[in-house]
Amino acid sequence: GSTLALQKAGLDIVMLLRDPQLCHDINTQHINTRYLQEFILPPNIRATTNAAEAIMGAQYAVHAVPVQSSRAFLVGVRDLLPAHVPIICVSKGLEAG
C-alpha cells in the first residue's frame, strides 16, 4: 500500500491500518517503519485505524491486503463503503483453506 501511495503525489491518501503505532509513525515521521523504512512518505499520505474515517469521501479504494486476510477485512468494511466506490484490488498470495 505505501509503495502505491508514493506514486500518487497529487491525491489525498488515507491508509487504513490495524496497528496504531504504525499509524502514529506514518502521521508524525512520514515513514512506514514496518515495511518501507528507507522512504519518506509525502505529506499527502496519512494513516488511521478508523475504517469510517479512511473511507469517508473516497473516490475509489485500493485493496492492498494479503489475500489470506481479504475476506475478513472486506466483511469489516462492507457496510461503510458506498456501492458507487470502485475497489481496485492489488492483493497477492493465496487464501489457505
Side-chain angles (χ1 to χ4, degrees):
S2 296
T3 303
L4 290 172
L6 282 168
Q7 306 306 311
K8 297 297 181 185
L11 299 177
D12 179 29
I13 297 172
V14 182
M15 297 175 62
L16 176 58
L17 305 177
R18 294 175 292 179
D19 182 347
Q21 182 59 51
L22 185 55
C23 282
H24 179 266
D25 294 347
I26 288 172
N27 292 333
T28 59
Q29 301 174 42
H30 299 287
I31 297 173
N32 182 332
T33 53
R34 181 171 299 140
Y35 299 112
L36 207 60
Q37 302 91 352
E38 62 276 10
F39 292 98
I40 301 294
L41 300 173
N44 66 306
I45 299 172
R46 61 186 175 87
T48 183
T49 58
N50 182 306
E53 177 186 345
I55 293 169
M56 185 177 11
Q59 295 176 359
Y60 61 90
V62 176
H63 179 70
V65 175
V67 170
Q68 66 268 18
S69 301
S70 287
R71 184 183 313 257
F73 175 82
L74 291 170
V75 165
V77 300
R78 74 175 163 205
D79 293 333
L80 299 171
L81 194 63
H84 70 276
V85 174
I87 299 173
I88 302 164
C89 182
V90 297
S91 296
K92 65 179 184 174
L94 298 172
E95 184 174 9

